[in-house]
Amino acid sequence: MAKGKKQPKRILIVGGGYVGLYTALGLQRKLRSLEASVTVVDPQPHMTYQPFLPEAAAGSIEPRHVVVPLRKVLRRCHVLTGRVTKIEHANKTATVESIDGHVQQISYDVLISALGSISRLLPIPGLAEQGIGFKTVGEAIYLRNHVLSRLDLAASTDDPELRRKLLTFLVIGGGYAGVEALAELEDMARYAIRYYDNISAKDMRWVLVEATGRIMPEVSAKMGVYTVKVLEKRGIEVFLDTRVKTLENGHIVLDDGTEFDADTVIWTAGVKANPMLQQTDLPLDERGRVRCTADLQVAGLSDAWAAGDNAGVPDLSRIKEDPTATCSPSAQHAVRQAKRLVPNVLASIRGKKPKPYFHKYAGSVASLGLYKGVSDVLGVIRLKGFLAWLLHRGYHLSRMPTFNRKVRIMFDWLGAFVFRREVISMGQIQDPKTEFARAAKS
């Protein structure tokens, strides 16, 4: 290196989700030659576009198409598959445990925290044993196979109590994730039972439990009421202002006295910032998120940034009504913050001033199953049914990273439209060695 020539900045992005991927994509496109190197660390070798998980679970989209392989798209970045277990920003080092258990220290000049969030579990008896989340593609695949396998088991038993339990499905949490997962899976199961001689739609019981007085707070109250009516018209039971007291052994007890058995429990009742942040020396807020300024810098630090679910970013669109308001944990904010983060990081490296993140509420869209949806655009245009469903698909397709994945998803939709959705349970992938072990004993 010639004397006096600046060393390239070492940028470390912790997390390969929305913020991590979009930020790395932007940086690799706009960084000048030898200006900086970018390293992305994540336990998974791919980014998952979570809004498409319900359709992947229901068979409308191939699960592989809702994930984006990091190494394939981040050609100019160094991708490390591992888990960051500690960050010492005072020393500009991060401790990384790779998938083979090897531990190493990574030094950096600029830190971008994009750790995202995890499911927020409550101390409900039986939840850890009976529940399954809905944040990863693995969980979506598992739920698809699980729901369809319950139909197979129910069709094969003469025990009425067991049959009733197998055909009862409980979703806890009435936000977007819960409502869309419930609607898509119920739609899939309703379609699948046409191939069972001894199961009808009335044999299935689908239940949604929400602790607050409304579902989907992201849309207007009126649209929330409409959604409840649509679900109830399909025979889905909706419990509002209700909490689950226990789930032990699949026996569900609600705080209003309702009791029933269910063999499927899906937990979507909120998220919390990644707890790994507790192993850093970054300033955290009362919710365990990285405390940030409006320009996405970590408070008090000029060489550290954060965005997405793990960041407490001031919400400038609501600052007049509530000076302490921060951006909610949503894909909409994560994608837009990443878009603002790229020029801000580049500006900082080049000695310029970053700009604040400002985003007004643009609206919300949600799918309620095939050809059904609700949307609330700018709080003014409210659509229901087929048009809202089309808007939902169009919006999320536009936000899906890479042209490759957009095209694959469009072909998935075309195939599902022409040949209908697939309703095959591939439960063998949950325990692929069963048949091999049985053969070994024979």
Side-chain angles (χ1 to χ4, degrees):
M1 184 71 67
K3 187 178 179 180
K5 192 171 183 179
K6 287 186 177 180
Q7 292 277 359
K9 291 281 188 180
R10 298 165 299 176
I11 301 174
L12 174 63
I13 301 177
V14 183
Y18 297 120
V19 173
L21 175 64
Y22 279 106
T23 302
L25 279 171
L27 290 174
Q28 77 172 6
R29 283 196 298 262
K30 297 182 179 180
L31 280 169
R32 299 165 186 160
S33 178
L34 301 180
E35 186 175 25
S37 64
V38 179
T39 299
V40 180
V41 183
D42 193 271
Q44 300 297 330
H46 58 255
M47 170 266 201
T48 302
Y49 191 71
Q50 292 179 3
F52 277 146
L53 287 182
E55 289 200 54
S60 296
I61 299 177
E62 163 62 42
R64 290 175 300 170
H65 298 164
V66 304
V67 299
V68 180
L70 296 178
R71 286 185 173 84
K72 183 176 181 180
V73 300
L74 300 178
R75 297 292 183 89
R76 294 180 57 198
C77 300
H78 176 57
V79 177
L80 181 59
T81 304
R83 189 179 302 275
V84 173
T85 58
K86 188 176 183 180
I87 296 175
E88 296 178 275
H89 189 69
N91 301 324
K92 301 286 185 68
T93 61
T95 303
V96 179
E97 182 179 345
S98 61
I99 54 177
D100 66 354
H102 174 69
V103 177
Q104 62 178 306
Q105 299 282 332
I106 295 181
S107 298
Y108 61 84
D109 299 305
V110 178
L111 173 70
I112 298 175
S113 179
L115 284 161
S117 60
I118 65 171
S119 296
R120 176 176 58 87
L121 270 63
L122 299 178
I124 300 173
L127 175 58
E129 296 78 16
Q130 301 295 325
I132 177 71
F134 201 71
K135 283 180 65 65
T136 69
V137 69
E139 289 171 335
I141 294 171
Y142 172 84
L143 280 171
R144 169 181 171 75
N145 290 325
H146 178 78
V147 169
L148 291 174
S149 69
R150 299 310 92 177
L151 302 184
D152 289 331
L153 290 171
S156 304
T157 182
D158 294 326
D159 185 335
E161 290 188 10
L162 176 59
R163 178 187 172 93
R164 192 176 303 112
K165 181 177 181 178
L166 291 168
L167 294 177
T168 300
F169 308 90
L170 170 65
V171 176
I172 305 172
Y176 266 115
V179 171
E180 290 193 330
L182 169 69
E184 290 284 354
L185 288 170
E186 190 272 344
D187 212 24
M188 176 194 71
R190 182 181 291 270
Y191 176 77
I193 59 174
R194 67 183 60 193
Y195 302 110
Y196 294 84
D197 295 332
N198 57 346
I199 299 179
S200 65
K202 65 181 181 180
D203 294 325
M204 295 191 298
R205 184 181 184 184
W206 291 82
V207 182
L208 175 65
V209 175
E210 167 56 38
T212 66
R214 57 169 297 188
I215 65 172
M216 295 199 305
E218 300 88 350
V219 301
S220 68
K222 187 175 182 180
M223 295 299 284
V225 172
Y226 166 79
T227 302
V228 170
K229 291 180 178 178
V230 169
L231 296 178
E232 290 180 337
K233 189 175 181 180
R234 287 161 58 173
I236 298 170
E237 300 173 43
V238 180
F239 291 82
L240 301 178
D241 285 320
T242 307
R243 291 171 174 79
V244 178
K245 293 179 64 176
T246 178
L247 300 162
E248 290 182 296
N249 300 315
H251 183 67
I252 317 301
V253 180
L254 307 183
D255 65 0
D256 66 352
T258 302
E259 296 187 32
F260 57 91
D261 290 333
D263 199 47
T264 305
V265 178
I266 305 171
W267 177 266
T268 63
V271 297
K272 64 179 180 180
N274 195 311
M276 202 292 293
L277 292 170
Q278 303 293 331
Q279 307 305 315
T280 75
D281 54 358
L282 303 175
L284 306 182
D285 64 13
E286 64 282 355
R287 299 183 188 177
R289 303 172 301 175
V290 179
R291 195 181 298 276
C292 295
T293 61
D295 56 12
L296 306 176
Q297 282 187 321
V298 177
L301 304 172
S302 61
D303 47 11
W305 308 78
D309 290 1
N310 80 151
V313 180
D315 189 346
L316 298 184
S317 68
R318 296 192 291 145
I319 205 74
K320 290 183 179 179
E321 306 95 69
D322 182 4
T324 64
T326 55
C327 297
S328 61
S330 68
Q332 189 176 117
H333 276 302
V335 172
R336 285 172 168 79
Q337 286 175 1
K339 189 176 180 180
R340 178 72 262 157
L341 189 58
V342 171
N344 279 3
V345 172
L346 292 173
S348 178
I349 291 175
R350 296 166 184 172
K352 299 178 181 179
K353 187 177 180 180
K355 296 181 180 180
Y357 169 74
F358 181 87
H359 169 62
K360 283 188 175 181
Y361 172 73
S364 300
V365 291
S367 170
L368 300 180
L370 201 59
Y371 309 133
K372 300 175 283 291
V374 292
S375 66
D376 191 346
V377 182
L378 300 174
V380 178
I381 304 174
R382 298 184 175 92
L383 301 175
K384 307 172 184 176
F386 182 73
L387 288 178
W389 174 80
L390 275 181
L391 185 61
H392 167 270
R393 281 196 164 184
Y395 172 79
H396 285 299
L397 184 67
S398 72
R399 293 295 182 266
M400 186 71 195
T402 78
F403 179 74
N404 177 307
R405 283 303 185 264
K406 286 182 171 68
V407 171
R408 289 177 184 272
I409 288 172
M410 289 179 67
F411 274 106
D412 285 342
W413 285 339
L414 179 61
F417 176 76
V418 175
F419 300 109
R420 309 300 295 269
R421 70 171 92 214
E422 290 286 355
V423 286
I424 301 172
S425 171
M426 303 185 73
Q428 292 163 318
I429 67 174
Q430 319 291 7
D431 191 6
K433 288 181 66 66
T434 300
E435 291 300 321
F436 189 80
R438 183 177 288 113
K441 293 177 182 179
S442 61

